[in-house]
Amino acid sequence: MKNKQYDDDVREFVALTNGVFLVLSDDAVFNKNLRSTLLRHLTIKDECVHNVATIEALHKEIKLLRSKNHKLLIFIERELNGRNTSDLVRYLKSDFANELFVIVLTTEVERDKLVLLHELGADNIITKPISADTLIEKIAFTVKPRGQLGELMDKGRQCLDMGNPLEAAKLAKQVLELKPNSPSGLLLMGDALRGMGKREEALRAYTQAEKGAKLFLEPLKKIAELHHEEGNTAEEVRFLERLDKLSPLNVDRKVDIGTGYIKMGDADKAKAAFDMAVRIATKEALDAVSRVTQTIAVRCMDASPELSEQYLRQSLNTRKNMLDRSDIETFNRLGLTLRRQGKWQEAIVEYRKALKISPNDGGLYYNISMAYTEGRQYIEAYQYLDRALTLNPDLWRTGEAICYNIATVYRRYGKKEQAVDYLKKSLDINPEYAKAKTLLDELGQDR
């Protein structure tokens, strides 16, 4: 049962803080679901949701809404029009700090990318697609009014911003009395002590905070900053490298590590860090190019499969030295567009390249089976289908057309009983599926 408190937390964000939702997304489905969820589930007025399509429009809308004293919760796509928005998240959270919340929207991505987003300041992350209940819960956890600890932390931060570290230290002490060894409280205490020039005591507070929360990056950053200010390059680099292990996609930090090694006279280690920074930056750029070419290819697929093929190959060639599992979908699309042109043998060549990256992908074996079927190579089609179903026994659940295709391979191979079984599964999914009905009739079977 859904927790009613989450509903109330979101409503209070709107009612008590003049909160509004600002969405930078080209995902029409998410935009529709957000409005529907807020309106139908929470009876929040439609006028509380503002949509923008570009980063420029986002900046204008933020300025306008803040001038009307609105508290903002901003939803931002992790990638927008082929561009990574990490720098935008970093800018918003560094320039506006506690004045707005940021939730990043993404599809399934690697843990390292999520860690980087949190490090850059994202208050929360939503992996799409998302149900209405889970969406409300995510928003509530982001905006819900916090208790006494949160209020003390906010006041402490404000004191630091106003140049009053002594008062911030008093508030940090209250936090630690309420929750001993609180990493956030220790971090606030460290900042206050640092502001008062008590660097050794600050370092102890940061170190204690780091020990209490192994995935809390801020204490390690503060310790590295202190060592940098004191010119202790070896210790600075040691803590930067610990940070790098926790969040390995931060390009700027890799440059800082390389710079540290240059200062220490270790050119080889410096070059290794710099090269890795360049590699990550290059991969990000190539990923963006690859996404654009894929978008073009998908839009050309039906009307011009030849042009689609050209752009899909360009997408893969762009990333040829950095291909990974995220490229499997591109290989699948290329195989499909080749098959639509009757080039089933070329499609198999591409699928086999993909198998080198993902050798246990049942979907790839299924696609190879379909290509062999189109080439009337039924023995090979059966062999690859058998492997596909061994790797992914639930493959048939994908849809009625998949069931039907599996049935046709079994039929061609002379396995009538299995063919009938999958045709019936097809009709279980869609009782009106005409192709399955026709083939069952041909096989003399009742439905």
Side-chain angles (χ1 to χ4, degrees), residues 78-253:
R78 188 178 70 87
E79 291 175 353
L80 190 72
N81 299 323
R83 289 173 58 190
N84 189 294
T85 58
S86 296
D87 286 343
L88 175 61
V89 173
R90 188 205 309 260
Y91 161 74
L92 290 174
K93 293 304 293 185
S94 62
D95 263 40
F96 297 105
N98 298 319
E99 295 176 39
L100 51 76
F101 302 107
V102 173
I103 295 181
V104 177
L105 307 174
T106 183
T107 51
E108 291 287 349
V109 295
E110 300 93 329
R111 174 191 171 281
D112 289 347
K113 290 181 179 177
L114 297 181
V115 172
L116 179 62
L117 288 169
H118 278 299
E119 184 182 353
L120 295 178
D123 296 288
N124 219 324
I125 293 170
I126 284 177
T127 302
K128 300 181 294 181
I130 186 170
S131 69
D133 285 353
T134 308
L135 178 57
I136 292 170
E137 185 178 325
K138 283 277 188 179
I139 295 172
F141 274 122
T142 305
V143 305
K144 66 178 177 180
R146 292 173 292 170
Q148 188 179 1
L149 279 177
E151 290 179 13
L152 290 170
M153 288 295 301
D154 286 344
K155 287 179 182 176
R157 292 283 166 219
Q158 289 169 8
C159 288
L160 286 175
D161 291 341
M162 294 166 62
N164 189 349
L166 181 59
E167 188 61 31
K170 291 178 183 176
L171 290 162
K173 186 179 178 183
Q174 290 181 52
V175 171
L176 293 169
E177 286 170 354
L178 286 169
K179 187 178 179 182
N181 294 317
S182 160
S184 296
L186 288 164
L187 195 65
L188 177 61
M189 181 63 81
D191 287 346
L193 291 167
R194 186 175 168 189
M196 291 187 281
K198 299 180 179 181
R199 307 174 72 80
E200 287 298 320
E201 292 178 49
L203 183 57
R204 281 198 292 273
Y206 293 147
T207 302
Q208 193 176 344
E210 187 269 324
K211 287 178 180 175
K214 294 300 181 186
L215 284 178
F216 188 26
L217 303 185
E218 284 304 309
L220 289 172
K221 289 184 183 179
K222 300 287 187 180
I223 294 170
E225 287 171 10
L226 268 179
H227 287 305
H228 176 78
E229 290 168 4
E230 293 175 351
N232 192 346
T233 305
E235 282 298 290
E236 177 194 359
V237 168
R238 185 165 76 86
F239 281 94
L240 288 175
E241 288 187 327
R242 285 181 60 185
L243 281 163
D244 191 56
K245 285 180 181 177
L246 293 170
S247 178
L249 299 181
N250 190 316
V251 173
D252 293 336
R253 181 156 50 242

Side-chain angles (χ1 to χ4, degrees), residues 427-438:
L427 290 173
D428 285 341
I429 296 172
N430 180 2
E432 302 304 317
Y433 192 53
K435 284 185 174 182
K437 290 180 180 180
T438 302

Side-chain angles (χ1 to χ4, degrees), residues 232-401:
N232 192 346
T233 305
E235 282 298 290
E236 177 194 359
V237 168
R238 185 165 76 86
F239 281 94
L240 288 175
E241 288 187 327
R242 285 181 60 185
L243 281 163
D244 191 56
K245 285 180 181 177
L246 293 170
S247 178
L249 299 181
N250 190 316
V251 173
D252 293 336
R253 181 156 50 242
K254 282 182 164 55
V255 173
D256 289 341
I257 290 170
T259 304
Y261 278 120
I262 284 289
K263 288 180 182 177
M264 292 189 290
D266 195 333
D268 290 340
K269 286 187 177 179
K271 186 177 186 306
F274 291 146
D275 286 349
M276 187 55 72
V278 171
R279 180 177 174 81
I280 292 172
T282 301
K283 186 176 185 300
E284 287 178 359
L286 293 180
D287 284 349
V289 174
S290 179
R291 284 190 294 274
V292 172
T293 51
Q294 281 189 62
T295 301
I296 295 168
V298 169
R299 293 184 183 179
C300 295
M301 191 171 281
D302 292 328
S304 179
E306 298 86 357
L307 198 56
S308 180
E309 175 193 344
Q310 177 184 327
Y311 280 102
L312 286 168
R313 289 192 185 281
Q314 185 176 330
S315 175
L316 291 169
N317 286 336
T318 297
R319 291 170 44 81
K320 62 185 176 183
N321 295 321
M322 298 183 178
L323 292 170
D324 57 32
R325 289 175 65 88
S326 66
D327 297 294
I328 299 300
E329 182 59 30
T330 309
F331 278 109
N332 280 329
R333 286 175 178 161
L334 177 55
L336 179 60
T337 197
L338 287 166
R339 285 161 53 198
R340 286 184 179 178
Q341 298 173 70
K343 301 176 180 177
W344 62 272
Q345 290 167 305
E346 290 184 38
I348 290 170
V349 170
E350 299 304 327
Y351 291 141
R352 282 180 171 156
K353 288 179 185 175
L355 279 175
K356 291 179 181 177
I357 300 169
S358 185
N360 295 316
D361 190 319
L364 287 170
Y365 282 94
Y366 167 82
N367 286 338
I368 294 174
S369 174
M370 293 303 102
Y372 273 123
T373 301
E374 289 161 12
R376 300 181 185 276
Q377 307 292 310
Y378 301 121
I379 294 175
E380 290 85 351
Y382 170 76
Q383 290 171 339
Y384 276 90
L385 179 62
D386 186 59
R387 178 66 173 150
L389 292 172
T390 299
L391 289 167
N392 185 3
D394 291 329
L395 184 64
W396 64 273
R397 298 182 187 275
T398 310
E400 65 269 27

